[in-house]
Amino acid sequence: MVVGEVPEPVDLLVVGAGPGGYVAAARAAELGREVVVVDREGIEGGLGGACLRVGCIPSKALIELAHAYETTRDAGRAGLRVSGAEVDLGAFQDWRGEIVTKLEGGVGGLLRRHRVRYLVGEVSFSRPDRAVVAFVDGNSSFLEFKQAIVATGSRPLELSALPVDGERVLTATGALALTAVPPAMAIVGGGYIGLEIGTAFAKLGAKVTIVEALDQVLPTFAPSLVRPVLRSLENLGVDLRLGTLATGLDGDALVVTGADGEERIEAEKIVIAVGRTPNTDGLGLQTTGARLDDKGLVEVDERRLATPDIAAIGDVTAGPALAHKASAEAIVAAEALCGLPSAFEPLAIPAVVFTDPEIASVGMTLEEAKKAGLDAVQAKGTLASNGRAATLDADDGFTQVVVDRAADRVVGVHMVGPHASELIAAGALATEMIASPADVFGTIHPHPTLSEGLHAAAEQLVERAPVAVGGDS
Amino acid sequence: MATEFKLPDVGEGIDAAELIEWRVALGDEVVEGQPLVDVQTDKAIVEIPCPVAGTVLSLAGEEGDRIAVGTVLAVFGQAGEEPSAPATPTAADAPETAAAATASRTDAPAGREQEPPAAPSPEATTSRPLASPAVRRLARERGTDLREIVGSGPGGRILREDVDVPAAPTGDRPPFAAGATPPSRGVAPREDEVVPMRGTRRLIARNMADAWRTIPHIIDFREVDLSKLIAARRALREHGAELSTFALLAKIAATAAIRHPQVNASLDAEREEITVYGAVHLAVAIAAPSGLVTPVIRDADRKSAVEIGAEIAALSEAAGSRSLTVEQLRGGTLTVNNYGALGSTFSTPIIPPGQVVNLGFGKVEERPKAEDGEVVVRPLQWLTCSGDHRALDGEHLGAYVNEVVAMIEQPSLLLADLT
């Protein structure tokens, strides 16, 4: 096909095959739409988006490897004696490839079952109802669509002083693709991606330095949640440089400027993890009537509609750049474009950080709740008093529940500890279901498990009539 | 000094009424006797006048509310007095914005990915109704604003059953059907409209559903020839008695009921009793702006066709101006329905609770009829007479209808009832 050909009619065009795009495509197909998905990545390894292929999933595989390796060294006290444990990142990459291939196959099967057509190419919109798809072979095609969903995601931000070369200077994606553990790694950015990669490589034996321009890491999480992670990083020997700017390369070293002036940090690999930027440049969205803000995010209403016939979801819209947010928005957008009453109105979007210990948070913190004018109180269930935590040799952590006393409802749950990422769904459920502390406490939690932390915190917040104790004075 | 005015007993045995329309507003200067409010009882819409002159300081309730007799309806102050506060304060809801559902991305130097906000935003959690995701979705499907619902769950939580009341069928947009195309652009469909069932409509709904559920209807259909009745009407007119065909039919229905009293009755299922009435109080179905009403012509059996005709005209006018009284709507023992005037040839009347017969008259049309072996054209009409089979058998109902048919086809039979 060549430019100038008669445009091909498309019922619903979905741009992007990540956790936003493929969920939207399947839902729209269920509702009777004929869907075409276009993604710029090739059919080999093109499905599932950055999250599945180069982000969340590969990083969790690496974190799992690092955790297992660390266990072989640290579980001696528990009676595990391992000698000769070695890390083979080359073998790891094969395993990771199998995981990704399997999951991609799942996404491909989902799209096939829903009779969704899949095209590989770069989309740019040229009119409110038309887009050009540029194929890898140089050809292109016009699509005339009735409706469209933009789900093109985001990509790592780059630093002009430290251009990514794929050899010495890597993105997180590059770091996850390494076939050998570098002796020293410097990570620029103390956000969740920087900390996750730093923790994993430190466990795998690299000398890790994390450089962060702010004077704290994970600034959106309460300091009390971050403290156990900082202690753990220190135990792993991670050198954390706060209030420090990375300014460039000098030979074998990363040059940074901090309170003590300029300094050189020796590192074979430098990983840039300073944030992500939405993939909206070059999409031509301005020709459709959609509006972008100054960060390149598409402005959408509660139905995720940017124009009456074009929706945008996931990292290209405001809010946390998280896969589960994109998938939830995908359902809303698909239904809204099909005329169903649907809106994106969660009370809580969970956020998880796969550090060691893990951090997970949903809803409001005590400070946020008080600032919002609520009669808020909180209580903690600590791992120090949890039997299961003792058997995991992990007693540094807690589960915190924030309650609005006026409405007698849970408004937030925050955790730090092993498997917090798995446990937080209970907090999200309690928040969305407007559970009271008595609801949570009245729900039997299994023993011995880490989930008892939530139960213990809720118990302290249940308002009970005081029991008279003692004599008849 | 302020005067409290309580909802008076607007009719025998009525303990509550529905507010239909306030006729004054807060702060209005009113004079005694000026219309204050229209309320609907089980029987009629009643206009309640202002009891005193002065300023309206408060009004209790909103249109559509049911108010118990004895509840303070309005407070009147001295002329010129200022109203202090509305009687029913409304909750000051914080406005909900689409933006509240999503947190704004912070733009720290370290980059966005370090800022996954845990919550959509504090406002999203604090100002929103207490409802779970499934309930919120149901409300959206039903077009229900959760902020207008008082939850019945603990602490006012809105439960599924608070929202899951029978939906107005027009409230939802139809789901997008498989294989269908999206709504076409350019052609704006007419907006759907949800009309709350209030007043007369609500009353009709309740009564008719009751009747349909509890009364086993038997229906007797007859075709009658109105040639002689129309000739009689013409003769009467020539003698200065102007009356409608329906007035004559109503007179016949009442007269026949005296000869067959089993149709002029009511049935009490609980006490297992049938009351056969001595007098015929004829209820006449009239299409009023607010819906069907059935005002009553008292002692119709003892009134002339001219008197009955005059009463029908007066009651129709009152129904049109919503000025029927409770008294005019109460006590019917037998109903007649002139749906032929609406163009219907053939209908099946529903018996109102408390009676056992509803007699309907179809449209009078010239149609062919076999007469003495010849096809002739005559003004014909379908009679449809519904009877409550608990009180009447086909035989009893048929005897009454035979009498009605005989009188219509031979109006001189009415002479027998002259006293």
PDB file of all heavy atoms in Angstrom, chain B residues 177-198:
ATOM      1  N   ALA B 177     -25.025  -3.039  20.788  1.00  0.00           N
ATOM      2  CA  ALA B 177     -25.277  -4.435  20.429  1.00  0.00           C
ATOM      3  C   ALA B 177     -24.164  -4.972  19.546  1.00  0.00           C
ATOM      4  O   ALA B 177     -23.530  -4.245  18.803  1.00  0.00           O
ATOM      5  CB  ALA B 177     -26.610  -4.534  19.697  1.00  0.00           C
ATOM      6  N   ALA B 178     -23.978  -6.282  19.656  1.00  0.00           N
ATOM      7  CA  ALA B 178     -22.964  -6.937  18.842  1.00  0.00           C
ATOM      8  C   ALA B 178     -23.269  -6.695  17.378  1.00  0.00           C
ATOM      9  O   ALA B 178     -24.404  -6.806  16.928  1.00  0.00           O
ATOM     10  CB  ALA B 178     -22.941  -8.429  19.151  1.00  0.00           C
ATOM     11  N   GLY B 179     -22.249  -6.358  16.633  1.00  0.00           N
ATOM     12  CA  GLY B 179     -22.405  -6.194  15.199  1.00  0.00           C
ATOM     13  C   GLY B 179     -22.983  -4.858  14.775  1.00  0.00           C
ATOM     14  O   GLY B 179     -23.038  -4.553  13.603  1.00  0.00           O
ATOM     15  N   ALA B 180     -23.409  -4.060  15.741  1.00  0.00           N
ATOM     16  CA  ALA B 180     -24.006  -2.781  15.378  1.00  0.00           C
ATOM     17  C   ALA B 180     -22.908  -1.770  15.071  1.00  0.00           C
ATOM     18  O   ALA B 180     -21.752  -1.962  15.409  1.00  0.00           O
ATOM     19  CB  ALA B 180     -24.884  -2.274  16.497  1.00  0.00           C
ATOM     20  N   THR B 181     -23.290  -0.682  14.431  1.00  0.00           N
ATOM     21  CA  THR B 181     -22.326   0.375  14.164  1.00  0.00           C
ATOM     22  C   THR B 181     -22.502   1.432  15.239  1.00  0.00           C
ATOM     23  O   THR B 181     -23.560   1.530  15.849  1.00  0.00           O
ATOM     24  CB  THR B 181     -22.588   0.999  12.792  1.00  0.00           C
ATOM     25  OG1 THR B 181     -23.979   1.315  12.724  1.00  0.00           O
ATOM     26  CG2 THR B 181     -22.232   0.046  11.686  1.00  0.00           C
ATOM     27  N   PRO B 182     -21.463   2.208  15.503  1.00  0.00           N
ATOM     28  CA  PRO B 182     -21.599   3.240  16.530  1.00  0.00           C
ATOM     29  C   PRO B 182     -22.619   4.282  16.084  1.00  0.00           C
ATOM     30  O   PRO B 182     -22.930   4.378  14.894  1.00  0.00           O
ATOM     31  CB  PRO B 182     -20.190   3.825  16.629  1.00  0.00           C
ATOM     32  CG  PRO B 182     -19.528   3.475  15.356  1.00  0.00           C
ATOM     33  CD  PRO B 182     -20.153   2.210  14.886  1.00  0.00           C
ATOM     34  N   PRO B 183     -23.146   5.046  17.053  1.00  0.00           N
ATOM     35  CA  PRO B 183     -24.149   6.040  16.703  1.00  0.00           C
ATOM     36  C   PRO B 183     -23.614   6.957  15.602  1.00  0.00           C
ATOM     37  O   PRO B 183     -22.475   7.397  15.676  1.00  0.00           O
ATOM     38  CB  PRO B 183     -24.340   6.810  18.014  1.00  0.00           C
ATOM     39  CG  PRO B 183     -23.787   5.933  19.079  1.00  0.00           C
ATOM     40  CD  PRO B 183     -22.756   5.072  18.458  1.00  0.00           C
ATOM     41  N   SER B 184     -24.420   7.213  14.593  1.00  0.00           N
ATOM     42  CA  SER B 184     -23.932   8.025  13.494  1.00  0.00           C
ATOM     43  C   SER B 184     -23.806   9.466  13.941  1.00  0.00           C
ATOM     44  O   SER B 184     -24.562   9.947  14.760  1.00  0.00           O
ATOM     45  CB  SER B 184     -24.894   7.926  12.313  1.00  0.00           C
ATOM     46  OG  SER B 184     -26.153   8.420  12.693  1.00  0.00           O
ATOM     47  N   ARG B 185     -22.835  10.118  13.378  1.00  0.00           N
ATOM     48  CA  ARG B 185     -22.612  11.515  13.726  1.00  0.00           C
ATOM     49  C   ARG B 185     -23.551  12.385  12.920  1.00  0.00           C
ATOM     50  O   ARG B 185     -23.980  12.014  11.848  1.00  0.00           O
ATOM     51  CB  ARG B 185     -21.169  11.886  13.424  1.00  0.00           C
ATOM     52  CG  ARG B 185     -20.232  11.377  14.487  1.00  0.00           C
ATOM     53  CD  ARG B 185     -18.797  11.563  14.065  1.00  0.00           C
ATOM     54  NE  ARG B 185     -18.410  10.466  13.182  1.00  0.00           N
ATOM     55  CZ  ARG B 185     -17.202   9.912  13.180  1.00  0.00           C
ATOM     56  NH1 ARG B 185     -16.298  10.331  14.009  1.00  0.00           N
ATOM     57  NH2 ARG B 185     -16.905   8.942  12.363  1.00  0.00           N
ATOM     58  N   GLY B 186     -23.847  13.562  13.409  1.00  0.00           N
ATOM     59  CA  GLY B 186     -24.619  14.504  12.628  1.00  0.00           C
ATOM     60  C   GLY B 186     -26.085  14.470  12.945  1.00  0.00           C
ATOM     61  O   GLY B 186     -26.703  15.502  13.088  1.00  0.00           O
ATOM     62  N   VAL B 187     -26.662  13.306  13.090  1.00  0.00           N
ATOM     63  CA  VAL B 187     -28.091  13.234  13.385  1.00  0.00           C
ATOM     64  C   VAL B 187     -28.253  13.130  14.900  1.00  0.00           C
ATOM     65  O   VAL B 187     -27.874  12.134  15.494  1.00  0.00           O
ATOM     66  CB  VAL B 187     -28.730  12.006  12.713  1.00  0.00           C
ATOM     67  CG1 VAL B 187     -30.249  12.042  12.878  1.00  0.00           C
ATOM     68  CG2 VAL B 187     -28.362  11.970  11.246  1.00  0.00           C
ATOM     69  N   ALA B 188     -28.789  14.182  15.492  1.00  0.00           N
ATOM     70  CA  ALA B 188     -28.950  14.165  16.938  1.00  0.00           C
ATOM     71  C   ALA B 188     -30.239  13.445  17.290  1.00  0.00           C
ATOM     72  O   ALA B 188     -31.319  13.844  16.854  1.00  0.00           O
ATOM     73  CB  ALA B 188     -28.984  15.590  17.475  1.00  0.00           C
ATOM     74  N   PRO B 189     -30.182  12.325  18.040  1.00  0.00           N
ATOM     75  CA  PRO B 189     -31.408  11.648  18.424  1.00  0.00           C
ATOM     76  C   PRO B 189     -32.145  12.484  19.463  1.00  0.00           C
ATOM     77  O   PRO B 189     -31.528  13.302  20.157  1.00  0.00           O
ATOM     78  CB  PRO B 189     -30.915  10.345  19.037  1.00  0.00           C
ATOM     79  CG  PRO B 189     -29.544  10.671  19.537  1.00  0.00           C
ATOM     80  CD  PRO B 189     -29.002  11.756  18.664  1.00  0.00           C
ATOM     81  N   ARG B 190     -33.457  12.286  19.550  1.00  0.00           N
ATOM     82  CA  ARG B 190     -34.193  13.002  20.578  1.00  0.00           C
ATOM     83  C   ARG B 190     -33.724  12.498  21.933  1.00  0.00           C
ATOM     84  O   ARG B 190     -33.495  11.301  22.100  1.00  0.00           O
ATOM     85  CB  ARG B 190     -35.690  12.773  20.405  1.00  0.00           C
ATOM     86  CG  ARG B 190     -36.511  13.879  21.012  1.00  0.00           C
ATOM     87  CD  ARG B 190     -37.966  13.643  20.778  1.00  0.00           C
ATOM     88  NE  ARG B 190     -38.377  12.375  21.377  1.00  0.00           N
ATOM     89  CZ  ARG B 190     -39.615  11.909  21.321  1.00  0.00           C
ATOM     90  NH1 ARG B 190     -40.517  12.573  20.674  1.00  0.00           N
ATOM     91  NH2 ARG B 190     -39.930  10.776  21.884  1.00  0.00           N
ATOM     92  N   GLU B 191     -33.577  13.421  22.873  1.00  0.00           N
ATOM     93  CA  GLU B 191     -33.096  13.050  24.202  1.00  0.00           C
ATOM     94  C   GLU B 191     -34.109  12.142  24.900  1.00  0.00           C
ATOM     95  O   GLU B 191     -35.319  12.353  24.801  1.00  0.00           O
ATOM     96  CB  GLU B 191     -32.903  14.307  25.065  1.00  0.00           C
ATOM     97  CG  GLU B 191     -31.736  15.164  24.646  1.00  0.00           C
ATOM     98  CD  GLU B 191     -30.392  14.462  24.883  1.00  0.00           C
ATOM     99  OE1 GLU B 191     -30.204  13.925  25.988  1.00  0.00           O
ATOM    100  OE2 GLU B 191     -29.565  14.453  23.957  1.00  0.00           O
ATOM    101  N   ASP B 192     -33.610  11.134  25.603  1.00  0.00           N
ATOM    102  CA  ASP B 192     -34.465  10.322  26.456  1.00  0.00           C
ATOM    103  C   ASP B 192     -34.920  11.171  27.624  1.00  0.00           C
ATOM    104  O   ASP B 192     -34.224  12.084  28.051  1.00  0.00           O
ATOM    105  CB  ASP B 192     -33.689   9.117  27.008  1.00  0.00           C
ATOM    106  CG  ASP B 192     -33.292   8.162  25.895  1.00  0.00           C
ATOM    107  OD1 ASP B 192     -33.780   8.350  24.767  1.00  0.00           O
ATOM    108  OD2 ASP B 192     -32.506   7.254  26.171  1.00  0.00           O
ATOM    109  N   GLU B 193     -36.076  10.837  28.154  1.00  0.00           N
ATOM    110  CA  GLU B 193     -36.601  11.646  29.248  1.00  0.00           C
ATOM    111  C   GLU B 193     -37.103  10.706  30.335  1.00  0.00           C
ATOM    112  O   GLU B 193     -37.774   9.733  30.052  1.00  0.00           O
ATOM    113  CB  GLU B 193     -37.752  12.493  28.716  1.00  0.00           C
ATOM    114  CG  GLU B 193     -38.212  13.549  29.672  1.00  0.00           C
ATOM    115  CD  GLU B 193     -39.507  14.220  29.201  1.00  0.00           C
ATOM    116  OE1 GLU B 193     -40.018  13.872  28.117  1.00  0.00           O
ATOM    117  OE2 GLU B 193     -40.003  15.067  29.935  1.00  0.00           O
ATOM    118  N   VAL B 194     -36.727  10.986  31.567  1.00  0.00           N
ATOM    119  CA  VAL B 194     -37.220  10.191  32.688  1.00  0.00           C
ATOM    120  C   VAL B 194     -38.299  10.997  33.392  1.00  0.00           C
ATOM    121  O   VAL B 194     -38.055  12.122  33.810  1.00  0.00           O
ATOM    122  CB  VAL B 194     -36.089   9.856  33.678  1.00  0.00           C
ATOM    123  CG1 VAL B 194     -36.651   9.087  34.868  1.00  0.00           C
ATOM    124  CG2 VAL B 194     -35.015   9.046  32.987  1.00  0.00           C
ATOM    125  N   VAL B 195     -39.507  10.470  33.440  1.00  0.00           N
ATOM    126  CA  VAL B 195     -40.611  11.183  34.061  1.00  0.00           C
ATOM    127  C   VAL B 195     -40.970  10.489  35.370  1.00  0.00           C
ATOM    128  O   VAL B 195     -41.358   9.320  35.366  1.00  0.00           O
ATOM    129  CB  VAL B 195     -41.843  11.193  33.126  1.00  0.00           C
ATOM    130  CG1 VAL B 195     -42.980  11.971  33.768  1.00  0.00           C
ATOM    131  CG2 VAL B 195     -41.478  11.772  31.779  1.00  0.00           C
ATOM    132  N   PRO B 196     -40.786  11.160  36.480  1.00  0.00           N
ATOM    133  CA  PRO B 196     -41.141  10.515  37.752  1.00  0.00           C
ATOM    134  C   PRO B 196     -42.641  10.253  37.817  1.00  0.00           C
ATOM    135  O   PRO B 196     -43.440  11.065  37.329  1.00  0.00           O
ATOM    136  CB  PRO B 196     -40.702  11.521  38.813  1.00  0.00           C
ATOM    137  CG  PRO B 196     -40.409  12.790  38.103  1.00  0.00           C
ATOM    138  CD  PRO B 196     -40.310  12.530  36.637  1.00  0.00           C
ATOM    139  N   MET B 197     -43.027   9.111  38.387  1.00  0.00           N
ATOM    140  CA  MET B 197     -44.449   8.799  38.541  1.00  0.00           C
ATOM    141  C   MET B 197     -44.943   9.456  39.804  1.00  0.00           C
ATOM    142  O   MET B 197     -44.541   9.091  40.894  1.00  0.00           O
ATOM    143  CB  MET B 197     -44.653   7.293  38.597  1.00  0.00           C
ATOM    144  CG  MET B 197     -44.632   6.673  37.218  1.00  0.00           C
ATOM    145  SD  MET B 197     -44.663   4.883  37.260  1.00  0.00           S
ATOM    146  CE  MET B 197     -46.194   4.590  38.100  1.00  0.00           C
ATOM    147  N   ARG B 198     -45.775  10.441  39.640  1.00  0.00           N
ATOM    148  CA  ARG B 198     -46.260  11.201  40.785  1.00  0.00           C
ATOM    149  C   ARG B 198     -47.778  11.288  40.713  1.00  0.00           C
ATOM    150  O   ARG B 198     -48.372  11.092  39.661  1.00  0.00           O
ATOM    151  CB  ARG B 198     -45.686  12.648  40.757  1.00  0.00           C
ATOM    152  CG  ARG B 198     -44.200  12.704  40.911  1.00  0.00           C
ATOM    153  CD  ARG B 198     -43.809  12.628  42.378  1.00  0.00           C
ATOM    154  NE  ARG B 198     -42.453  12.135  42.544  1.00  0.00           N
ATOM    155  CZ  ARG B 198     -41.339  12.825  42.299  1.00  0.00           C
ATOM    156  NH1 ARG B 198     -41.416  14.041  41.880  1.00  0.00           N
ATOM    157  NH2 ARG B 198     -40.168  12.288  42.481  1.00  0.00           N
TER     158      ARG B 198
END
